[in-house]
Amino acid sequence: MRTENQSSMSEFLLLGLPIPIEQQGMFFALFLDVYLTTVLGNLLIILLIRLDSRLHTPMYFFLSHLAFSDICLSSVTVPKMLMNMHTQQQSISYVECISQMCFFIIFACLDNFLLGVMAYDRYVAICHPLHYTTIMRQELCVSLVVESWFLSCAHALLHTFLSVHLSFCDDKTIPHFFCDLPALLKMSCSDISVNELVIFTEGGMLLMMPLVSILGSYIHIGTTVLRVPSTKRLFKVFSTCGSHLSVVSSYYGTLAGVYFFSLSWGSNDKDIIASFMYAVVTPVLNPFIYSLRNKDIKQALEIFVNRANFFK
């Protein structure tokens, strides 16, 4: 328990990213471009998957939900950050702060589950190609997405419920660019042992479930591919897996670093940069890594552009 006076906060102050004032304008333009690319790129992916019947497969069904989740994940934090950088006003109301934290947890958790589900889909496609349509039927795909949403929302509501019962000290400054859960816990004058226990147990379990699915799927994929003496197939599969695993490593590494180690390390610029990586950078990379390098997506894009030019 801290010795400062407790107060019922009506608003907080977000310090934002550790950027010098004279460089705020340049970084504002850069982050605005990144955000617009994230939104437009992922919206384009969703549109192409909806319009092209050849993309009505389980893999692209999951990809469309991942694209939607990435748009929401970025939209929860970046617009407020850009507004604060532009107006030089750092305030955020208590209700907005708690809401931002809740929705951020939902979509960050949803990304985790979708990455795990997509890895399982690739495992079935490569290791059990003859039974792919039987296993990955529409009912199972919808069920996996619904369960991902349910677990993500339940996880977020649990942490939100625990957070709204906390009391905060007189210092209302959040050394972050959004209302992140660890940052709020560090400001609390209440006993946060229950919150920390839930993060390390329930949060750790939900974090490990998709990660185990990803690692297990790709271990089986690697084992299966190595049994087939085809250099072309080996290069193609491992090229795809390498791109996926590079994003997964970055995403899970920064996520674990913030939520499992920052509570003991204390708030610093490394926590903020790590949060920025998975909240802003990862969503803008996903369209390029998962889609724009994909031949089917490129063909769908060419057809879409040709149709648009035809109706001009």
Side-chain angles (χ1 to χ4, degrees):
M1 295 287 289
R2 298 176 183 170
T3 58
E4 294 91 337
N5 292 330
Q6 297 181 5
S7 59
S8 178
M9 287 291 182
S10 61
E11 67 176 15
F12 296 100
L13 295 178
L14 293 171
L15 291 186
L17 294 169
I19 300 174
I21 297 179
E22 61 272 13
Q23 299 179 4
Q24 292 275 337
M26 178 182 65
F27 279 96
F28 173 85
L30 174 62
F31 296 153
L32 179 60
D33 288 342
V34 170
Y35 176 67
L36 292 177
T37 302
T38 300
V39 174
L40 295 177
N42 284 289
L43 280 177
L44 178 61
I45 298 305
I46 296 173
L47 179 63
L48 293 177
I49 292 174
R50 294 288 184 182
L51 294 179
D52 197 324
S53 59
R54 297 173 303 170
L55 301 182
H56 294 173
T57 63
M59 181 180 72
Y60 295 110
F61 173 73
F62 297 135
L63 180 59
S64 65
H65 283 273
L66 180 66
F68 175 76
S69 178
D70 283 337
I71 293 173
C72 296
L73 179 65
S74 185
S75 298
V76 167
T77 59
V78 177
K80 180 62 177 178
M81 179 188 70
L82 292 175
M83 184 183 301
N84 290 352
M85 292 178 67
H86 180 68
T87 63
Q88 296 298 313
Q89 294 181 356
Q90 301 172 317
S91 63
I92 182 172
S93 69
Y94 175 82
V95 174
E96 288 178 321
C97 187
I98 296 297
S99 299
Q100 187 182 58
M101 180 201 72
C102 178
F103 284 106
F104 180 82
I105 294 175
I106 289 176
F107 295 112
C109 191
L110 182 61
D111 259 19
N112 292 337
F113 282 110
L114 290 175
L115 288 173
V117 168
M118 292 174 69
Y120 174 73
D121 173 73
R122 292 298 83 202
Y123 155 73
V124 177
I126 295 174
C127 299
H128 303 283
L130 299 179
H131 303 284
Y132 180 76
T133 55
T134 303
I135 297 175
M136 300 303 297
R137 58 192 185 280
Q138 184 178 4
E139 293 81 3
L140 177 62
C141 296
V142 173
S143 176
L144 289 173
V145 171
V146 171
E147 289 176 6
S148 298
W149 273 98
F150 175 78
L151 290 174
S152 300
C153 292
H155 175 67
L157 291 176
L158 173 60
H159 286 290
T160 302
F161 175 78
L162 293 174
S163 298
V164 296
H165 289 81
L166 296 176
S167 297
F168 295 95
C169 305
D170 288 335
D171 185 8
K172 59 182 181 179
T173 302
I174 301 178
H176 217 302
F177 68 93
F178 73 101
C179 292
D180 201 13
L181 177 59
L184 289 177
L185 293 181
K186 293 170 187 174
M187 296 177 57
S188 175
C189 294
S190 304
D191 182 8
I192 61 172
S193 58
V194 175
N195 302 73
E196 291 178 327
L197 179 63
V198 172
I199 289 176
F200 281 98
T201 54
E202 182 265 353
M205 181 182 66
L206 291 184
L207 180 68
M208 290 303 298
M209 286 170 56
L211 186 57
V212 169
S213 173
I214 292 170
L215 294 178
S217 297
Y218 279 113
I219 289 174
H220 282 88
I221 289 173
T223 304
T224 301
V225 172
L226 289 175
R227 293 174 182 172
V228 180
S230 172
T231 304
K232 183 177 180 181
R233 184 186 179 192
L234 180 67
F235 177 79
K236 181 179 180 180
V237 171
F238 276 93
S239 175
T240 304
C241 295
S243 299
H244 187 191
L245 289 175
S246 64
V247 174
V248 168
S249 300
S250 173
Y251 192 91
Y252 282 95
T254 54
L255 196 67
V258 172
Y259 283 97
F260 285 89
F261 299 110
S262 63
L263 288 175
S264 58
W265 288 350
S267 179
N268 51 47
D269 292 348
K270 291 182 180 180
D271 296 336
I272 300 175
I273 294 173
S275 299
F276 183 83
M277 285 295 296
Y278 70 78
V280 180
V281 176
T282 301
V284 77
L285 291 178
N286 284 344
F288 298 97
I289 294 176
Y290 291 110
S291 303
L292 298 184
R293 294 178 59 187
N294 185 287
K295 182 177 67 174
D296 294 333
I297 291 292
K298 288 182 179 180
Q299 291 178 352
L301 180 59
E302 291 177 0
I303 294 174
F304 176 76
V305 172
N306 291 334
R307 288 179 178 176
N309 292 332
F310 176 79
F311 287 107
K312 284 184 178 180

